[in-house]
Amino acid sequence: MTEYTRSQLALRNGQDRDEIWVAYQGKIFDVTQSRLWRNGKHYEHWAGQDLTDELVDAPHTEKVFERMTQIGILV
Ligand code: HEM
């Protein structure tokens, strides 16, 4: 699995590149195809960062990541 740094992840925030990525518990997921992450925004949350600590704010569990493709590891 490819390793990416926080700055590489930050470029995939839905504004600077076409790809949109989100990190959760050290794994980076590609949410580009999700209509719920359009332009990198998901309700009050922004892509391009580690959102592990923000999942508590969500009305859903981490199960939502089962539908997403893991594209790398956050180092
Ligand atoms: C105010 C906070 C949030 C709200 C209201 C919210 C709401 C939702 C809703 C309604 C869905 C689709 C229904 C479902 O799968 O249960 C969803 C999917 C998803 N959410 Fe959240 N969410 C929030 C925070 C977060 C956070 C912090 C993360 C990341 C750690 C996250 C990651 C995801 C992912 C990856 C999906 C799947 C997208 C898809 O299937 O296309 N959400 N969210």
Side-chain angles (χ1 to χ4, degrees):
M1 191 67 66
T2 314
E3 299 184 341
Y4 296 97
T5 62
R6 274 168 199 278
S7 13
Q8 287 174 306
L9 173 62
L11 287 170
R12 277 70 179 204
N13 60 358
Q15 308 288 309
D16 299 318
R17 302 263 180 111
D18 290 337
E19 304 150 309
I20 308 177
W21 296 353
V22 167
Y24 179 74
Q25 290 192 345
K27 298 175 178 176
I28 299 176
F29 295 91
D30 189 342
V31 298
T32 312
Q33 301 304 324
S34 173
R35 60 183 172 81
L36 291 168
W37 284 90
R38 205 171 290 151
N39 301 318
K41 196 157 190 275
H42 182 71
Y43 299 89
E44 300 307 310
H45 304 274
W46 283 95
Q49 47 180 332
D50 180 358
L51 292 178
T52 304
D53 295 340
E54 297 185 34
L55 190 70
V56 292
D57 301 336
H60 54 70
T61 67
E62 63 184 15
K63 269 199 162 287
V64 290
F65 288 107
E66 290 174 4
R67 301 197 291 268
M68 306 290 113
T69 305
Q70 184 182 351
I71 52 96
I73 290 170
L74 181 62
V75 290

